[in-house]
Amino acid sequence: MAKLADVLAAIDALGFDPARVKHIGRRLSEAGAIPAGGPARPPELTDTDTLRLIIAVATTTKLRLADHDLAQYAGLVPAGTDIPDDAPDSVPRNAFDAVELLVERARGGDSEARRSTIEFVRGWPEIVIDRQSGVSRFRIAGADAGRWERPGHRTATTVPVRLIADILDKLFGKVA
């Protein structure tokens, strides 16, 4: 567990506006997406909570919608296709599971995972994981992952997985 203040300081390495990150953290805490703490006790976050905060910061365009955006992006499915319940456990069910697994592999020393990047598309809900072995797109169920959802510009924030892994290692220790 890490105190929210320590998490916010560590996330500075990603280059986001610290005031914006703090505001999004407060919004997620108020919505119950991350722990809120208590009277005279600061919130303590797990590595999963920290990853939720990073995803919310990378995807949120309107601060008041941070919890909504986090839920929407975390629930995106591979290539816009629902994964059946009888699929193998090794198949990620949603974007959050895939990102969490990739970061965990990077923390464990997997060199391909550490060289990977994650694109958080803000023009429409999409997360793209770019690995040496290929690209995985996570979209809303039923969306065509091979086409842009809307005409116009595609705006995305790209984050190297190694940076996220290093932040989590700094806060929570190395993964064996």
Side-chain angles (χ1 to χ4, degrees):
M1 303 286 267
K3 292 186 178 5
L4 179 60
D6 296 334
V7 171
L8 296 175
I11 290 177
D12 282 348
L14 295 175
F16 294 111
D17 175 24
R20 187 171 186 279
V21 173
K22 185 176 180 180
H23 187 82
I24 290 172
R26 185 178 317 116
R27 177 71 181 144
L28 293 179
S29 178
E30 290 168 356
I34 62 174
R41 187 175 52 88
E44 292 189 358
L45 278 64
T46 64
D47 51 351
T48 300
D49 297 326
T50 302
L51 194 55
R52 281 190 189 104
L53 179 59
I54 290 170
I55 291 173
V57 168
T59 59
T60 298
T61 55
K62 295 180 181 172
L63 298 177
R64 63 185 165 78
L65 297 176
D67 54 325
H68 172 269
D69 290 345
L70 172 61
Q72 183 176 37
Y73 278 82
L76 298 176
V77 294
T81 306
D82 278 322
I83 305 298
D85 292 335
D86 61 347
D89 289 337
S90 61
V91 176
R93 301 291 193 263
N94 57 46
F96 187 81
D97 290 347
V99 169
E100 189 173 39
L101 179 63
L102 182 65
V103 170
E104 198 66 28
R105 286 182 41 218
R107 290 181 71 195
D110 183 320
S111 61
E112 181 185 16
R114 290 189 65 80
R115 286 191 299 266
S116 302
T117 60
I118 304 170
E119 285 182 42
F120 300 97
V121 180
R122 287 186 310 276
W124 54 82
E126 179 179 29
I127 292 179
V128 180
I129 298 176
D130 190 358
R131 300 180 201 85
Q132 259 186 320
S133 60
V135 173
S136 300
R137 295 183 182 280
F138 292 83
R139 300 282 303 271
I140 293 174
D144 183 357
R147 298 187 184 273
W148 283 18
E149 188 169 312
R150 295 184 196 111
H153 295 285
R154 178 181 182 269
T155 307
T157 299
T158 302
V159 179
V161 173
R162 68 177 168 71
L163 284 180
I164 298 172
D166 291 345
I167 288 168
L168 295 179
D169 284 346
K170 178 181 174 186
L171 290 168
F172 304 103
K174 295 273 186 192
V175 173

